[in-house]
Amino acid sequence: MANITKKVSWSSRADESGATGEGTPLLNGSEQPRHSRQLSEGRSIFQIGRLSTVDLEEEITSDEDSLRGRPKEIPHNEKLLSLKFESLDYDNIENQLFLEEERRMSYMGFRCLEISRWVVCGLIGFLTGLIACFIDIVVEELAGIKYQVVKQNIEKFTEAGGLSISLILWAVFNSAFVMVGAIIVAYFEPIAAGSGIPQIKCYLNGIKIPRVVRLKTLVVKVCGVICSVVGGLAVGKEGPMIHSGAVVAAGVSQGRSTSLKRDFKIFEYFRRDTEKRDFVSAGAAAGVSAAFGAPVGGVLFSLEEGASFWNQMLTWRIFFASMISTFTLNFFLSIYHNKPGDLSSPGLINFGRFESDSVAYNLYEIPLFIAMGAIGGILGALFNVLNYWLTIFRIRYVHRPCLQVMEAMLVAAVTATVSFTMIYFSNDCQPLGPEHNEEYPLQLFCADGEYNSMATAFFNTPERSVRSLFHNQPGSYNPLTLGLFTLTYFFLACWTYGLAVSAGVFIPSLLIGAAWGRLFGILLASITSNATIWADPGKYALIGAAAQLGGIVRMTLSLTVIMVEATGNVTYGLPIMLVLMTAKIVGDYFVEGLYDIHIKLQSVPFLHWEAPATSHWLTAREVMSSPVTCLNRIEKVGTIVDVLSNTSTNHNGFPVVVQVAGSDEPAKLCGLILRSQLIVLLKHKVFVELARSRLNQRKLQLKDFRDAYPRFPPIQSIHVSQDERECMMDLTEFMNPTPYTVPQETSLPRVFKLFRALGLRHLVVVDDQNRVIGLVTRKDLARYHLGKHGLEELQLAHT
Amino acid sequence: MSLHKHSCLLVLAVFNIYPAVFGDGVNLAVSDPADKPRQTSSLSPAVVVNPPPDPLFSLNLLSSLPEDPEISDYCSELLHIFGQLYVDYVTCLVPAARPVKVCQNCYSSFGSLKNIYTNISSDQEGPGNVSCRDSLLRSDRLMLVYLMYSNLVGIWSKSACDNCITEGGQSLTNDTLFFLTTHNQTLTCFEKYKEGNHSQLCTNCKSPYKDLNELYSGMEKNQTLCIDIEDAMNMTRRLWSKYYNCSFPREETVPVIAVSSFMLFLPIIFYLSSFLHSEQKKRKLIHPKRAKSYASLMNIQDKLS
């Protein structure tokens, strides 16, 4: 028993307190039952925390030391929380400056604000649509050139011999494009890697991911996605659109670019986290809607991911941004396709029309669809597990930029090789259709006038492959081709996701699903004698695509609507919903969704919809950090500078306390002030002494805080002389005088709800006399999560 | 006023011809379009009530109309010619179905059919100041003449014959003729070498076949293909690839496999080497400040409770 108590973190504290001699034996005895229950909990936590890390560590003998003293080093795993992530300040700081500004603002001023919100949303939609259009056109042109060159080369060498040269040419082409894409991502902006959906999810959850909404990120993202799609990787350009939309929103709404050092002096009111985050949700929605031609799906995506802070007007504005975005894309694409004014290609991915009678479904097919959903869930879980192990490996071993670039190039080369080999050995020849759906038909060893059917799947951009799987005539693929394609593409896509290139996982998932779905449809038709009732394999391809996508990303409401909108047929709503539900239920049984896995692996303190179940017994006292660094209402500048420059703590919010003069009563809470505010105050030297000496000094306004937003200078860059250190600073005007507080007995779910619903960053825990005894932040809450063995606790780490 | 007159006429006619049960076929065909228009165009209540859903009754009605003044001799003449040409064209089409020669063989008969239809459908008035368009084409629900003609037009446009016929429809285009000549050359070549070893055919006929193929691709790009050419090419290709087996053989399997296995080998080396040589990334754990007095506080609480 004693041995165990030493290992468990909480009970070791109990030890400590025992050592300080505060608890009497009697009291200890009385607490025994409760203590032991926590012990068992703590023990399981402890074991889980260790199990994954034991392998490479020395045997845990001196854990007493390591727990307290020197920092311990462990390999990266998913049970960590990184210190580099901070919360957004979503909560409004109602200090005196704010009230003053509100008083000065006229009625017209508020109206103008409202109007400018709409203008910003319109701009967001427009620019997002333009970016989507740009990506689409560039990808189409570049991919066209690439495939033409390779095709000509293959044709030449089919006749003359030397096809291995074509293979090398193809591989080199791919690697070259991907190299460019990977270099800009790995060396210039690593945050632009991947689809960006996990990052945006985190941002909407209220976490400030460093550099995620910068202009540089946007540029890298757009170029990167072009390179990786043209480079023939098993990726799509849809996920990155969401990230791009978010960056556009964050940029436009601020009316300036810190990177370009241009300030347009507009939208200054929106320069704070609250407004920015609202606009970012509009941007993400606009991105979804441009990517899939699904404006409602975009709104629901933002709702699903950022639902904690929401209001109706915002929803309406977001919908406006989405609509503008999809129709901007539509309009410019129609000009590009020489059909100006024809608004019929609403998204980057166009599933085509499912309207003919042959794609109607019947009641007896619903169980089949549900079965397909289950298959999708299982395959999706497999995909996620494989990708999880791969990502852990990548984080641990492939972390140097040059290695990441090399890895991406290798993946590109192997993708080309595998595709080529598949095409080369495929015997599936199909006659060319009358209207040439195939953009780059490869003949190879097929009879003249026929094309290689494997090549339509591999020798094409993934979007086109998806469409041909949905819409090609029954019989244009044989089952073997589809089976092989599914298998290889599954592993390729799984291998590709998580590389240091910016690219999404939506399209590959759809493609895998469409391939096995079509296979399913063909097999159904072949095992039943009456083939006409299973007429169209395209229908099953669609359901398979939905199932696979649902199994991988596990989105619910928004994904259903996105799929229905992209299909353009509302009658598919029911089967798609059923399929996605089944896929999620089955998949969640094994492992989480891909985005959640990646969020965890990034060690992000992510707050889910609900507090972990069975956590009601935890109270704020156990959750909070303590002791708290507090500041006095009138504080010495030296103290503030010291507190801020303390690198070991790096706190962001400080409760402000007031000492009742003359008495030795402990200080009481009277407000909360943020690091960013203190830095601005120090920069402007708002000291009591100076104010007295220079009466005409301009009063600090909210504008000064906004100008410094969002990149507040670090404390090191602010020079404070020795004399100034002795000055005093009055925080009364600037602090938030009414911070949210909870009593220490509040349960964890209650605290959690406050955080989620109000978007809090700091929550002060006070005792019955309003004395600060602790502070709850996001990381304190996010460390609890429900694992396989009950409640587990994550560890904090530097990353 | 005219409505009244019409209805009276109709009623009269109905009673008049009631005993005459069946008219002759020609008459029926001619008068058919002429009779319905009045029923549909004159919306008098009498007419609406008039035709009951009794086939016998309406047949009676039809046979009454040969002497209908509205369908002129000129129109029935046109109709007759239309019928003749229609039959001609269809007779031409059917034997040209396989191998497809619908454009080369039947363009002239389609041309005349088109002319006569243009005549019928023009709103210029013929002799006697009559326009047959209304009476022949759009007098009834069936609109048989239009329907039949549009079927044939459908066939024509689906076969894309316009691409192979000169503007006026007089002759085949030069491109088409040239293609057909080249095609014939290729076939002659096939014919010549088809005895014995096909590989000889493959080598000897390669150049005419290749020329033909290139010509075809060029025409495909210019969109000057019609079904005749497409079919001829398809057949030739099938002969070449399937029957004579002259497609490219898959003979470089070894180099392709070698190169691809080399490529597939690279990532294994990469991952192994990065596993062995790359320094594993470690995370420094931090121990957060927690309430030190936790246990004692709890004790207090326990005591209180």
Side-chain angles (χ1 to χ4, degrees):
Chain A
M1 191 66 192
N3 195 15
I4 296 163
T5 25
K6 273 183 188 171
K7 280 188 182 177
V8 178
S9 47
W10 295 341
S11 35
S12 74
R13 272 182 223 133
D15 262 9
E16 243 169 46
S17 67
T20 48
E22 280 187 8
T24 62
L26 187 74
L27 285 176
N28 265 347
S30 72
E31 81 165 275
Q32 205 58 43
R34 176 162 176 182
H35 201 155
S36 68
R37 189 195 61 180
Q38 286 182 359
L39 248 176
S40 57
E41 290 281 355
R43 189 177 165 198
S44 69
I45 290 163
F46 179 78
Q47 284 181 337
I48 301 314
R50 276 296 156 78
L51 267 181
S52 54
T53 65
V54 167
D55 43 23
L56 291 161
E57 286 297 300
E58 78 275 42
E59 191 51 45
I60 321 137
T61 46
S62 59
D63 54 311
E64 198 82 346
D65 289 348
S66 59
L67 272 175
R68 298 225 193 92
R70 63 186 167 82
K72 200 160 67 89
E73 285 199 344
I74 60 160
H76 187 89
N77 62 34
E78 88 278 15
K79 292 187 195 309
L80 292 175
L81 288 183
S82 170
L83 272 194
K84 73 178 170 187
F85 299 113
E86 296 170 8
S87 284
L88 296 173
D89 294 305
Y90 193 75
D91 186 36
N92 204 4
I93 300 162
E94 289 179 347
N95 54 16
Q96 287 181 18
L97 298 185
F98 176 79
L99 295 177
E100 223 166 86
E101 191 186 73
E102 200 175 79
R103 220 176 296 130
R104 273 204 310 272
M105 212 173 208
S106 62
Y107 174 71
M108 269 317 284
F110 281 107
R111 293 302 294 267
C112 285
L113 267 185
E114 196 53 36
I115 292 169
S116 47
R117 281 199 185 100
W118 282 94
V119 172
V120 169
C121 279
L123 276 176
I124 290 168
F126 181 71
L127 290 176
T128 311
L130 272 190
I131 287 174
C133 185
F134 172 76
I135 293 179
D136 194 51
I137 292 175
V138 175
V139 164
E140 201 155 301
E141 295 292 326
L142 285 180
I145 294 171
K146 184 189 100 174
Y147 286 121
Q148 276 309 333
V149 171
V150 176
K151 185 182 167 202
Q152 276 163 17
N153 191 279
I154 288 179
E155 275 168 1
K156 196 170 103 198
F157 284 116
T158 318
E159 202 178 332
L163 270 175
S164 42
I165 296 172
S166 316
L167 161 60
I168 292 170
L169 178 82
W170 191 1
V172 166
F173 253 120
N174 276 8
S175 302
F177 277 115
V178 170
M179 183 178 78
V180 177
I183 283 178
I184 54 176
V185 170
Y187 283 98
F188 295 103
E189 198 53 272
I191 200 79
S195 73
I197 296 180
Q199 283 90 337
I200 296 306
K201 245 181 121 160
C202 292
Y203 191 92
L204 294 182
N205 192 263
I207 300 158
K208 188 186 286 171
I209 308 276
R211 302 191 313 280
V212 77
V213 287
R214 295 234 180 126
L215 183 67
K216 190 170 142 198
T217 314
L218 177 67
V219 173
V220 170
K221 193 104 207 169
V222 169
C223 298
V225 78
I226 290 172
C227 288
S228 46
V229 175
V230 174
L233 291 177
V235 295
K237 53 190 186 294
E238 278 66 17
M241 264 324 294
I242 296 164
H243 192 171
S244 308
V247 182
V248 166
V252 168
S253 63
Q254 304 300 297
R256 70 171 166 191
S257 164
T258 336
S259 312
L260 298 180
K261 302 201 168 42
R262 287 288 302 271
D263 190 343
F264 297 101
K265 306 270 178 207
I266 45 171
F267 306 139
E268 283 171 337
Y269 186 81
F270 301 143
R271 289 174 192 173
R272 54 199 176 120
D273 280 344
T274 320
E275 298 282 351
K276 194 160 154 184
R277 199 187 145 284
D278 286 353
F279 285 119
V280 166
S281 53
V288 175
S289 112
F292 299 96
V296 182
V299 175
L300 291 177
F301 175 83
S302 285
L303 180 68
E304 198 172 319
E305 303 308 343
S308 46
F309 335 115
W310 201 258
N311 69 53
Q312 281 71 19
M313 268 322 272
L314 179 62
T315 320
W316 185 221
R317 274 203 301 275
I318 290 177
F319 186 66
F320 174 69
S322 297
M323 269 302 177
I324 296 284
S325 141
T326 179
F327 279 93
T328 307
L329 174 68
N330 219 321
F331 179 69
F332 284 100
L333 279 189
S334 74
I335 292 177
Y336 172 67
H337 292 137
N338 285 327
K339 288 180 276 186
D342 171 23
L343 303 179
S344 61
S345 51
L348 287 186
I349 169 87
N350 195 341
F351 288 176
R353 298 279 143 227
F354 283 84
E355 269 162 6
S356 69
D357 286 340
S358 61
V359 293
Y361 63 96
N362 211 318
L363 188 64
Y364 56 76
E365 290 177 271
I366 297 281
L368 284 174
F369 292 156
I370 291 176
M372 288 178 80
I375 299 176
I378 292 169
L379 285 179
L382 180 66
F383 186 99
N384 291 358
V385 169
L386 290 177
N387 195 265
Y388 166 75
W389 288 114
L390 194 61
T391 310
I392 287 217
F393 182 86
R394 279 179 179 146
I395 292 176
R396 286 192 190 165
Y397 296 103
V398 194
H399 46 79
R400 294 224 303 275
C402 60
L403 284 180
Q404 288 174 339
V405 173
M406 269 171 68
E407 190 192 14
M409 285 171 66
L410 278 176
V411 174
V414 169
T415 308
T417 312
V418 170
S419 315
F420 187 89
T421 322
M422 291 301 234
I423 295 172
Y424 185 89
F425 288 105
S426 164
N427 282 325
D428 184 8
C429 293
Q430 302 290 345
L432 277 170
E435 65 270 337
H436 276 304
N437 289 332
E438 298 75 24
E439 195 87 348
Y440 319 104
L442 275 186
Q443 186 189 350
L444 233 60
F445 309 114
C446 287
D448 286 356
E450 295 189 342
Y451 66 92
N452 188 312
S453 152
M454 190 69 100
T456 52
F458 272 122
F459 195 67
N460 224 331
T461 54
E463 280 92 353
R464 281 186 195 285
S465 308
V466 171
R467 217 177 315 162
S468 53
L469 281 171
F470 283 166
H471 291 294
N472 276 7
Q473 300 296 316
S476 36
Y477 296 93
N478 75 27
L480 183 70
T481 308
L482 284 177
L484 279 174
F485 177 75
T486 310
L487 200 68
T488 43
Y489 214 80
F490 183 86
F491 288 109
L492 280 178
C494 189
W495 189 21
T496 309
Y497 190 75
L499 284 180
V501 293
S502 58
V505 76
F506 265 82
I507 296 297
S509 318
L510 286 174
L511 192 49
I512 298 164
W516 66 253
R518 200 174 169 107
L519 183 65
F520 190 87
I522 293 174
L523 293 183
L524 265 186
S526 67
I527 56 170
T528 50
S529 52
N530 184 4
T532 50
I533 53 167
W534 321 105
D536 196 57
K539 174 173 55 184
Y540 291 94
L542 175 70
I543 297 296
Q548 183 69 55
L549 186 56
I552 290 176
V553 302
R554 310 279 168 75
M555 280 148 65
T556 49
L557 172 62
S558 55
L559 189 58
T560 311
V561 176
I562 288 172
M563 292 291 288
V564 170
E565 281 187 288
T567 319
N569 191 338
V570 186
T571 55
Y572 276 109
L574 178 75
I576 288 177
M577 183 191 74
L578 288 177
V579 156
L580 288 176
M581 276 167 93
T582 328
K584 184 171 166 63
I585 291 168
V586 172
D588 280 346
Y589 180 76
F590 299 104
V591 67
E592 295 174 279
L594 187 64
Y595 296 141
D596 295 316
I597 289 178
H598 278 260
I599 287 173
K600 261 193 181 174
L601 286 173
Q602 298 286 312
S603 315
V604 179
F606 190 86
L607 294 186
H608 291 274
W609 289 340
E610 299 277 343
T614 73
S615 60
H616 285 269
W617 57 273
L618 274 169
T619 61
R621 193 170 48 236
E622 284 135 312
V623 171
M624 71 191 184
S625 309
S626 177
V628 185
T629 318
C630 293
L631 296 175
N632 285 316
R633 201 168 66 181
I634 295 171
E635 184 64 89
K636 234 172 85 179
V637 174
T639 323
I640 294 179
V641 173
D642 288 344
V643 165
L644 290 184
S645 357
N646 186 348
T647 48
S648 69
T649 53
N650 198 29
H651 294 313
N652 265 298
F654 303 93
V656 181
V657 293
V658 62
Q659 204 90 33
V660 181
S663 72
D664 53 350
E665 266 181 60
K668 297 194 173 181
L669 176 71
C670 69
L672 185 89
I673 196 153
L674 298 176
R675 167 182 287 260
S676 57
Q677 289 174 309
L678 287 175
I679 282 180
V680 173
L681 294 182
L682 285 176
K683 207 169 119 199
H684 289 270
K685 305 210 182 301
V686 190
F687 305 146
V688 178
E689 286 77 4
L690 290 183
R692 267 183 218 137
S693 60
R694 283 180 286 164
L695 281 171
N696 56 348
Q697 193 191 15
R698 186 178 68 91
K699 256 190 90 182
L700 210 59
Q701 287 178 347
L702 221 48
K703 185 178 178 306
D704 299 297
F705 292 94
R706 288 197 191 117
D707 284 344
Y709 179 83
R711 299 186 201 174
F712 297 103
I715 180 70
Q716 286 79 14
S717 71
I718 290 168
H719 179 71
V720 179
S721 69
Q722 205 59 42
D723 287 346
E724 284 168 339
R725 283 181 71 89
E726 296 304 317
C727 292
M728 301 302 275
M729 221 152 98
D730 187 359
L731 306 177
T732 321
E733 262 187 296
F734 309 106
M735 70 188 184
N736 180 5
T738 52
Y740 290 95
T741 56
V742 286
Q744 41 189 333
E745 281 80 28
T746 323
S747 71
L748 173 67
R750 230 162 219 285
V751 175
F752 198 96
K753 252 181 220 141
L754 272 178
F755 258 77
R756 264 300 256 177
L758 300 171
L760 291 187
R761 183 168 182 180
H762 302 100
L763 183 63
V764 188
V765 182
V766 292
D767 63 5
D768 47 0
Q769 286 163 3
N770 208 22
R771 288 175 302 195
V772 179
I773 56 169
L775 195 68
V776 178
T777 60
R778 175 176 282 271
K779 277 163 216 146
D780 297 322
L781 289 178
R783 68 200 160 106
Y784 298 103
H785 80 122
L786 203 58
K788 286 209 167 60
H789 307 271
L791 207 59
E792 298 176 5
E793 193 179 335
L794 306 179
Q795 287 168 304
L796 284 176
H798 277 298
T799 54
Chain B
M1 193 175 77
S2 78
L3 285 182
H4 251 276
K5 195 175 127 199
H6 279 302
S7 50
C8 290
L9 242 167
L10 268 173
V11 174
L12 232 158
V14 168
F15 283 110
N16 267 349
I17 345 110
Y18 196 72
V21 181
F22 293 115
D24 73 66
V26 179
N27 253 350
L28 249 178
V30 173
S31 56
D32 179 89
D35 124 79
K36 288 267 170 75
R38 219 148 330 105
Q39 293 193 8
T40 45
S41 62
S42 62
L43 292 157
S44 91
V47 176
V48 174
V49 178
N50 240 348
D54 181 356
L56 203 67
F57 189 83
S58 46
L59 272 174
N60 291 341
L61 185 63
L62 292 184
S63 51
S64 74
L65 294 169
E67 60 264 49
D68 184 353
E70 294 269 327
I71 183 112
S72 66
D73 292 343
Y74 171 67
C75 289
S76 58
E77 181 63 21
L78 277 185
L79 195 62
H80 185 71
I81 301 171
F82 177 79
Q84 289 295 331
L85 290 174
Y86 197 93
V87 171
D88 285 352
Y89 182 52
V90 173
T91 337
C92 172
L93 279 184
V94 174
R98 225 37 268 170
V100 186
K101 288 191 170 16
V102 290
C103 300
Q104 336 169 21
N105 291 356
C106 310
Y107 67 90
S108 58
S109 45
F110 182 76
S112 12
L113 184 69
K114 198 170 161 186
N115 283 339
I116 191 75
Y117 186 80
T118 322
N119 268 349
I120 292 177
S121 61
S122 74
D123 48 2
Q124 278 174 3
E125 291 168 352
N129 282 346
V130 278
S131 159
C132 300
R133 189 176 58 162
D134 290 338
S135 60
L136 292 184
L137 292 186
R138 34 168 116 150
S139 313
D140 52 299
R141 181 166 66 85
L142 189 59
M143 302 200 288
L144 190 65
V145 174
Y146 169 76
L147 195 64
M148 288 164 71
Y149 179 71
S150 62
N151 277 342
L152 291 189
V153 169
I155 293 176
W156 180 261
S157 62
K158 202 167 179 188
S159 54
C161 286
D162 277 332
N163 291 339
C164 298
I165 309 292
T166 49
E167 280 295 307
Q170 266 80 40
S171 61
L172 295 171
T173 56
N174 292 338
D175 280 352
T176 316
L177 291 172
F178 183 62
F179 178 85
L180 289 176
T181 332
T182 326
H183 179 238
N184 279 339
Q185 280 168 7
T186 319
L187 285 188
T188 331
C189 177
F190 284 3
E191 203 63 26
K192 197 161 126 200
Y193 292 99
K194 79 176 177 189
E195 305 298 329
N197 197 351
H198 284 166
S199 66
Q200 208 183 349
L201 182 144
C202 290
T203 43
N204 287 330
C205 299
K206 190 165 184 177
S207 75
Y209 177 74
K210 214 174 148 194
D211 291 345
L212 185 70
N213 233 340
E214 266 161 25
L215 183 64
Y216 181 81
S217 318
M219 291 172 81
E220 197 172 19
K221 255 180 216 133
N222 301 340
Q223 309 250 325
T224 52
L225 289 179
C226 58
I227 185 69
D228 290 18
I229 296 179
E230 286 168 37
D231 182 64
M233 192 67 219
N234 265 349
M235 284 302 112
T236 322
R237 278 175 168 173
R238 202 166 300 163
L239 273 180
W240 174 260
S241 314
K242 297 257 169 82
Y243 189 70
Y244 300 122
N245 234 341
C246 295
S247 295
F248 303 112
R250 185 178 298 161
E251 55 194 6
E252 317 163 54
T253 314
V254 176
V256 168
I257 289 182
V259 172
S260 29
S261 30
F262 171 72
M263 291 279 195
L264 294 178
F265 198 55
L266 285 179
I268 299 173
I269 298 176
F270 173 80
Y271 283 116
L272 265 184
S273 68
S274 55
F275 178 70
L276 295 176
H277 298 295
S278 186
E279 184 189 351
Q280 189 180 154
K281 204 163 216 178
K282 296 278 175 87
R283 306 295 187 202
K284 274 198 202 95
L285 288 188
I286 295 157
H287 295 286
K289 298 190 290 183
R290 293 278 172 248
K292 287 274 159 56
S293 53
Y294 155 73
S296 62
L297 278 169
M298 198 171 66
N299 290 348
I300 293 164
Q301 195 197 25
D302 279 350
K303 197 166 62 181
L304 288 175
S305 61

